[in-house]
Amino acid sequence: MSEAQMKVSDEIAISIENMNKWYGTFHVLRDINLDVQRGERIVICGPSGSGKSTLIRCINALEEHQQGSITVDGTLLSSDVKNIDKVRSEVGMCFQHFNLFPHLTILENCTLAPIWVRKIPKKEAEETAMHFLEKVKIPEQADKYPGQLSGGQQQRVAIARSLCMKPRIMLFDEPTSALDPEMIKEVLDTMIELAEDGMTMLCVTHEMGFARQVANRVIFMDAGQIVEQNEPEEFFNNPQSDRTKLFLSQILGH
Amino acid sequence: MSDTPNIGFVRHEPIPPSAPPIQQAGVVKWIRENLFSNWINSILTILSIYFVAKIILASTPWMWNGVWTTSSLRECREVLQGTSGACWSVLVERWNQMLFGFKYPVEAYWRPTLTFGLLLVCIAPILFQKLPRNMLMFSAIYPFLAFWLIWGGTLLTPVVVALSLIAGYLAFVKMERLTGFATGLLTGVVAVALVLYLGSFVTAALPEFIALEPVASRDMGGFMLNLILGTVCVSLSIPLGVVLALGRQSNMPIIKGICVVFIEFIRGVPLITLLFVANVVLSYFFPPGTNLDLILRVIIMITLFSAAYIAEVIRGGLAALPRGQYEAADSLGLDYPQAMRLIILPQALKISIPGIVNVAVGLFKDTTLVSVISMFDLVGMIRGPISSSTAWTGIYWELYLLAILLFFVVCYGISQYSQWLERQLRTDHH
């Protein structure tokens, strides 16, 4: 276990209890129970359609859950818009397709939310943005538009954009799935660096090397349920359920 | 295995970039490729040239021989002695009526002319982002100034209206922060009404304070009327269209229902019937004694009409945005008005520009329909007072050519601007 995997506190960052969600009549998440400690880095994997993306999208209320409770940093997610906005401003999210704002420059992408949500003066927000753009190693692209950047660069901007809100928790929804193989590494490096800084992270990904290197815990989901969770070494070397074994043999087998 | 070729390959020296092959150029080649590439194209080219030449040969002498100085159509015919020629003198004699209508006081022509000139100054900073932003101050004042210049009366009237709007805005901002959007809006409306009511005493007491000679709405006419209706209705219907489009997407069933019913109703009704409603029926909806100005009634109707169309255009733009944009805005903690204003609408409106311009151009041309409810706009003037005057009865081509020219210049200008704007807003590939 690397050094980064050590720093976990007892404080609960996210607490999900008996959470259920349906799309129409389709039961997409079934009885999810999950506690995430501050500083913990969790990788969620599973076959497509298993509900792993839906699960982390419930945490910042991009998807509504119908039963059970989700508490993020002590704020209970309900239909109250104020609570939802509060949680969202504390939780950063990176998407599979980056979702940068194409009509704004890279710098404007990064300063928009701090200026309008946090009410930070423009100058200060720009300094923060440049700081994080340097951290993801693309400060020289600040005045370009997202359409002019490569996929890997766009995803790093998306990470910087989230970090500019100084979130306490980061969610990653398959951040490398839409990238060319050459660009996956630069994004993963950025995420590893983030993990080493002690960020609480939930990451839906199939990058098992990343999971081994930084995760404290790997969660395997299938058919809307958490099937297995364990420390990465145990999870990969000694999977318990047949479904997990099959999945691992399929993604690691070639 | 000696007959299998060796497939191993390693490049040791990169291929240096070189210039593309020189294009074969020349006029003859272009003509041969584009006009006479095969026998069908050749026939079509010759036919087109024949028709274009025919039209030019027939119309040029007619325009060139035109008479400019007579005072009636009969005199024109005497001068022309049966040869082909236009009677341009009708334009020389009646240009002022075609531009300003036949009842607008001649000595006040400078007022609408100045208003039109200032209109260009007013829209310049809105159309061109590079111009200094403080020019927008003038754009904000312009509507009130324009009203005063065209309708005349005391300057106090537009000042009171402007003050009431400022008061309403301040009240709205203050109350919104304290109690929320709905009560803020209500307080704002009350503040507007209050200031208008108090202001009406001031304007009644001082009708001669910095006053211009008042001109009644029924005396407006000519191309000026088309321009007034066009600019006012376009600038009002875009914000209304945005509100309707957002309302139609709303999660709140009542708001959504109202917007859907409104849009579908308006789109299912011809504009001309709405104008008749504005002309005769609308006054039944107001308390007896209130005499809502005819131009105002027509403006309301045309605005509602085009707002419904613009709403549909913008809805198309909203639907074209990937869902990820909404989610990214949400995930950053932006609230609904912020997400709409900063992320969604700038992109949706950009996509909608061609559609909005299409509606705006159509709307501007549709303002000629008011001639049917006996308002004397440019077409109304031609159909009515000018064609039926004894001196010029029977003259059509020259008058309608001017009308076509005026409308074409404005509409073509709008369409060229929109294409320029689309190029400016393109950020996806430079």
Side-chain angles (χ1 to χ4, degrees):
Chain A
M1 206 183 280
S2 74
E3 190 193 339
Q5 280 157 304
M6 310 297 287
K7 299 182 240 167
V8 176
S9 78
D10 295 336
E11 192 188 342
I12 300 283
I14 302 170
S15 162
I16 303 175
E17 280 170 27
N18 305 326
M19 193 259 281
N20 280 279
K21 175 173 175 58
W22 289 263
Y23 283 132
T25 54
F26 177 58
H27 198 170
V28 57
L29 288 178
R30 305 182 193 175
D31 208 24
I32 304 288
N33 283 289
L34 179 65
D35 279 345
V36 181
Q37 262 110 41
R38 167 112 22 247
E40 199 173 14
R41 292 164 298 281
I42 296 180
V43 163
I44 304 170
C45 59
S48 64
S50 60
K52 51 196 192 302
S53 283
T54 312
L55 171 61
I56 70 164
R57 289 158 61 88
C58 281
I59 292 172
N60 66 351
L62 286 183
E63 305 276 356
E64 241 181 310
H65 61 282
Q66 278 95 24
Q67 267 179 19
S69 72
I70 302 177
T71 313
V72 181
D73 258 342
T75 309
L76 180 70
L77 274 182
S78 57
S79 53
D80 187 347
V81 180
K82 284 215 174 89
N83 277 0
I84 291 178
D85 282 342
K86 180 156 179 275
V87 166
R88 282 174 179 168
S89 64
E90 302 296 333
V91 178
M93 181 152 194
C94 288
F95 300 88
Q96 182 177 1
H97 296 288
F98 331 132
N99 298 353
L100 294 178
F101 305 130
H103 62 301
L104 302 177
T105 63
I106 300 307
L107 188 64
E108 286 165 343
N109 264 280
C110 294
T111 56
L112 183 106
I115 289 174
W116 288 90
V117 180
R118 291 256 191 268
K119 317 283 182 203
I120 289 170
K122 187 168 176 231
K123 189 134 183 26
E124 197 186 324
E126 280 176 354
E127 279 163 15
T128 316
M130 285 314 291
H131 167 76
F132 284 113
L133 285 175
E134 268 158 35
K135 201 172 158 73
V136 301
K137 301 186 182 67
I138 32 177
E140 71 281 2
Q141 312 282 5
D143 294 323
K144 290 194 181 166
Y145 286 92
Q148 297 165 276
L149 269 56
S150 74
Q153 290 174 324
Q154 289 194 42
Q155 191 62 290
R156 284 185 283 151
V157 172
I159 294 173
R161 177 176 73 176
S162 300
L163 293 179
C164 284
M165 286 292 280
K166 308 261 172 73
R168 311 185 69 186
I169 299 165
M170 284 288 292
L171 307 174
F172 293 87
D173 188 2
E174 305 207 28
T176 55
S177 302
L179 294 177
D180 290 340
E182 280 185 317
M183 296 171 181
I184 291 178
K185 186 175 179 301
E186 62 187 51
V187 171
L188 288 181
D189 284 346
T190 308
M191 290 168 65
I192 290 167
E193 214 176 295
L194 199 58
E196 283 167 355
D197 291 348
M199 176 69 77
T200 311
M201 292 165 67
L202 271 83
C203 188
V204 173
T205 184
H206 292 139
E207 296 298 329
M208 291 307 143
F210 172 78
R212 275 178 195 271
Q213 194 178 342
V214 302
N216 310 91
R217 193 172 7 154
V218 180
I219 293 177
F220 176 71
M221 287 186 72
D222 185 38
Q225 300 147 71
I226 294 178
V227 175
E228 188 166 345
Q229 52 175 318
N230 213 329
E231 289 179 353
E233 288 307 315
E234 275 294 298
F235 179 85
F236 290 113
N237 299 336
N238 190 15
Q240 301 296 313
S241 97
D242 292 341
R243 189 67 192 86
T244 315
K245 284 176 192 161
L246 179 65
F247 177 77
L248 286 177
S249 73
Q250 276 163 343
I251 64 165
L252 299 174
H254 57 82
Chain B
M1 298 300 276
S2 60
D3 54 339
T4 28
N6 185 9
I7 58 168
F9 171 77
V10 180
R11 186 181 296 288
H12 293 291
E13 287 183 12
I15 303 171
S18 59
I22 298 157
Q23 296 286 320
Q24 289 172 297
V27 181
V28 177
K29 180 170 178 293
W30 185 89
I31 289 177
R32 191 173 295 157
E33 275 188 1
N34 291 286
L35 301 178
F36 299 100
S37 58
N38 58 38
W39 64 271
I40 296 181
N41 271 5
S42 307
I43 290 175
L44 288 177
T45 303
I46 291 165
L47 273 180
S48 318
I49 293 174
Y50 172 75
F51 280 113
V52 170
K54 189 99 179 151
I55 291 168
I56 292 175
L57 287 176
S59 59
T60 315
W62 179 78
M63 291 193 198
W64 191 251
N65 291 339
V67 182
W68 291 87
T69 50
T70 56
S71 61
S72 75
L73 183 59
R74 196 168 42 80
E75 285 177 35
C76 270
R77 289 189 177 136
E78 279 166 12
V79 172
L80 287 166
Q81 295 289 341
T83 54
S84 164
C87 188
W88 299 121
S89 17
V90 65
L91 303 182
V92 175
E93 203 195 277
R94 298 295 178 104
W95 66 270
N96 50 354
Q97 294 191 347
M98 295 180 77
L99 291 185
F100 301 108
F102 65 118
K103 282 195 275 185
Y104 204 88
V106 178
E107 67 278 5
Y109 279 170
W110 65 272
R111 280 156 49 183
T113 313
L114 177 64
T115 313
F116 178 71
L118 292 178
L119 172 68
L120 302 180
V121 181
C122 157
I123 59 175
I126 300 169
L127 299 187
F128 302 102
Q129 292 289 318
K130 290 212 177 75
L131 290 171
R133 290 296 83 194
N134 45 17
M135 279 177 78
L136 284 171
M137 288 294 287
F138 178 74
S139 308
I141 299 169
Y142 175 78
F144 307 99
L145 187 63
F147 173 82
W148 180 61
L149 280 173
I150 290 181
W151 273 267
T154 168
L155 183 61
L156 285 175
T157 314
V159 167
V160 164
V161 174
L163 284 179
S164 75
L165 290 178
I166 294 171
Y169 176 73
L170 291 178
F172 166 74
V173 170
K174 196 102 185 149
M175 281 306 280
E176 193 209 11
R177 206 164 289 159
L178 290 176
T179 54
F181 184 80
T183 45
L185 199 62
L186 195 68
T187 329
V189 172
V190 171
V192 170
L194 192 68
V195 175
L196 280 181
Y197 178 71
L198 294 176
S200 67
F201 292 111
V202 181
T203 47
L206 296 165
E208 293 302 318
F209 184 76
I210 321 185
L212 289 170
E213 182 196 348
V215 182
S217 284
R218 61 177 176 279
D219 295 343
M220 309 281 156
F223 197 54
M224 175 183 81
L225 183 58
N226 296 110
L227 279 175
I228 293 175
L229 293 175
T231 40
V232 173
C233 294
V234 167
S235 42
L236 290 180
S237 60
I238 290 176
L240 188 58
V242 169
V243 171
L244 283 170
L246 292 179
R248 194 169 184 165
Q249 289 216 322
S250 167
N251 295 327
M252 290 177 263
I254 294 179
I255 288 180
K256 182 177 177 155
I258 291 173
C259 292
V260 169
V261 169
F262 176 84
I263 291 170
E264 294 304 330
F265 173 75
I266 295 277
R267 290 205 307 162
V269 174
L271 176 58
I272 195 89
T273 57
L274 290 178
L275 290 177
F276 278 119
V277 168
N279 193 17
V280 284
V281 189
L282 205 60
S283 47
Y284 290 115
F285 291 99
F286 293 99
T290 45
N291 186 17
L292 205 57
D293 194 282
L294 178 60
I295 288 192
L296 188 57
R297 280 179 278 164
V298 167
I299 283 176
I300 292 173
M301 278 308 177
I302 299 182
T303 302
L304 295 182
F305 185 80
S306 54
Y309 279 87
I310 287 182
E312 285 301 280
V313 170
I314 294 175
R315 187 166 71 103
L318 290 171
L321 277 194
R323 228 182 94 196
Q325 291 292 309
Y326 293 85
E327 291 178 349
D330 283 346
S331 74
L332 286 170
L334 296 171
D335 60 21
Y336 177 81
Q338 288 171 341
M340 287 298 139
R341 187 153 67 94
L342 301 168
I343 308 299
I344 304 304
L345 282 177
Q347 297 185 64
L349 289 178
K350 187 176 99 180
I351 304 173
S352 317
I353 289 172
I356 293 177
V357 169
N358 198 20
V359 174
V361 168
L363 161 75
F364 178 57
K365 292 184 294 181
D366 281 350
T367 57
T368 53
L369 282 176
V370 297
S371 63
V372 178
I373 55 167
S374 47
M375 289 173 84
F376 294 103
D377 74 314
L378 181 52
V379 173
M381 283 306 297
I382 294 173
R383 281 175 7 122
I386 298 179
S387 301
S388 58
S389 63
T390 43
W392 302 110
T393 178
I395 197 162
Y396 298 107
W397 281 94
E398 296 81 353
L399 295 168
Y400 282 111
L401 271 178
L402 179 66
I404 287 169
L405 185 69
L406 286 175
F407 275 101
F408 179 78
V409 166
V410 175
C411 294
Y412 185 69
I414 297 174
S415 113
Q416 285 301 302
Y417 167 75
S418 85
Q419 286 175 27
W420 177 84
L421 184 62
E422 278 174 59
R423 286 195 298 274
Q424 289 295 304
L425 292 177
R426 197 178 297 153
T427 56
D428 41 354
H429 44 82
H430 284 251

